[in-house]
Amino acid sequence: ETGVTQTPRHLVMGMTNKKSLKCEQHLGHNAMYWYKQSAKKPLELMFVYSLEERVENNSVPSRFSPECPNSSHLFLHLHTLQPEDSALYLCASSQEGAGARNYGYTFGSGTRLTVV
Amino acid sequence: GNSVTQMEGPVTLSEEAFLTINCTYTATGYPSLFWYVQYPGEGLQLLLKATKADDKGSNKGFEATYRKETTSFHLEKGSVQVSDSAVYFCALDPKAAGNKLTFGGGTRVLVKP
């Protein structure tokens, strides 16, 4: 497989559940990102990993917990979410530096999360 | 700081009409500029890019020219199709270490047959 793959595509979870979103990239990139896309709101950058280390956390609530075990995989662990967390969660990857400047980011298709 | 401003949508037009989506940016130096497209139910796809002033990016009939003097990167297509219905995002990479892509708010385009 090539590109950025996100699973699952759709997820419905209760507020007391614990679930995880998975992202996998086969592009040889060294940076990965989580974005949140809510209806009628701009894209929100949640987390950035560069060389498997978290380099940015844009004041995201602790009920979202990222994990990057290696440069190809990124997880977003979810627990005790709220209905307002319902959104499309997008994963992206890039090659830091000249790669990103010249080629931008590659996005996955997203996970549509509904919290009930 | 860096910012990207794009026209608010939705933009509704008929098939074969001319499309323009305005994008202006604020950044120091000479950023790289991008247009991404998001089709319904999908993630963002890179549509075109320009990495320096006066560059023209083009793809799938879409074009955008990097205008340093007006800090703009407007997206145009001469004859849209129903399949061009999507949300379009303008973005910049400031080319500075540690800085990330900055996105505009997105413009929804609806093309009617």
Side-chain angles (χ1 to χ4, degrees), chain A residues 9 37 96 101-102 105, chain B residues 32 36 38 41 49 100-101:
Chain A
R9 288 297 304 269
Q37 187 177 34
E96 283 236 300
R101 293 167 207 156
N102 290 324
Y105 294 2
Chain B
S32 292
Y36 284 83
Q38 185 178 31
K49 63 178 174 72
K100 308 305 172 190
L101 271 186

Side-chain angles (χ1 to χ4, degrees), chain A residues 15-104:
Chain A
M15 289 190 283
T16 58
N17 290 161
K18 285 185 180 181
K19 296 286 184 183
S20 296
L21 310 185
K22 180 181 176 182
C23 176
E24 192 171 355
Q25 60 98 359
H26 301 275
L27 300 166
H29 289 166
N30 59 9
M32 297 186 77
Y33 313 83
W34 279 116
Y35 282 87
K36 177 183 178 183
Q37 187 177 34
S38 305
K40 301 187 179 180
K41 281 188 174 181
L43 277 168
E44 299 175 52
L45 178 62
M46 300 175 73
F47 299 104
V48 178
Y49 276 84
S50 174
L51 299 172
E52 301 156 41
E53 287 194 17
R54 189 162 71 192
V55 298
E56 192 163 329
N57 170 1
N58 287 332
S59 302
V60 178
S62 59
R63 57 185 183 269
F64 295 91
S65 174
E67 178 190 2
C68 187
N70 55 60
S71 61
S72 299
H73 294 86
L74 184 66
F75 295 90
L76 188 62
H77 303 300
L78 315 170
H79 65 96
T80 59
L81 294 190
Q82 304 299 311
E84 60 264 29
D85 297 321
S86 298
L88 181 68
Y89 288 85
L90 292 166
C91 174
S93 70
S94 72
Q95 188 63 25
E96 283 236 300
R101 293 167 207 156
N102 290 324
Y103 301 106

Side-chain angles (χ1 to χ4, degrees), chain B residues 25-92:
Chain B
Y25 68 89
T26 302
T28 54
Y30 296 87
S32 292
L33 300 172
F34 304 89
W35 276 102
Y36 284 83
V37 58
Q38 185 178 31
Y39 298 105
E42 297 295 323
L44 278 68
Q45 302 175 26
L46 181 62
L47 180 60
L48 54 83
K49 63 178 174 72
T51 58
K52 60 184 187 297
D54 300 325
D55 267 3
K56 177 186 281 188
S58 61
N59 186 25
K60 299 182 180 180
F62 290 89
E63 292 184 341
T65 301
Y66 189 143
R67 302 286 188 201
K68 179 66 177 175
E69 62 277 10
T70 54
T71 61
S72 65
F73 192 54
H74 304 323
L75 183 68
E76 296 181 336
K77 186 173 185 180
S79 176
V80 293
Q81 305 300 312
V82 172
S83 57
D84 293 323
S85 298
V87 181
Y88 293 81
F89 293 89
C90 186
L92 72 83

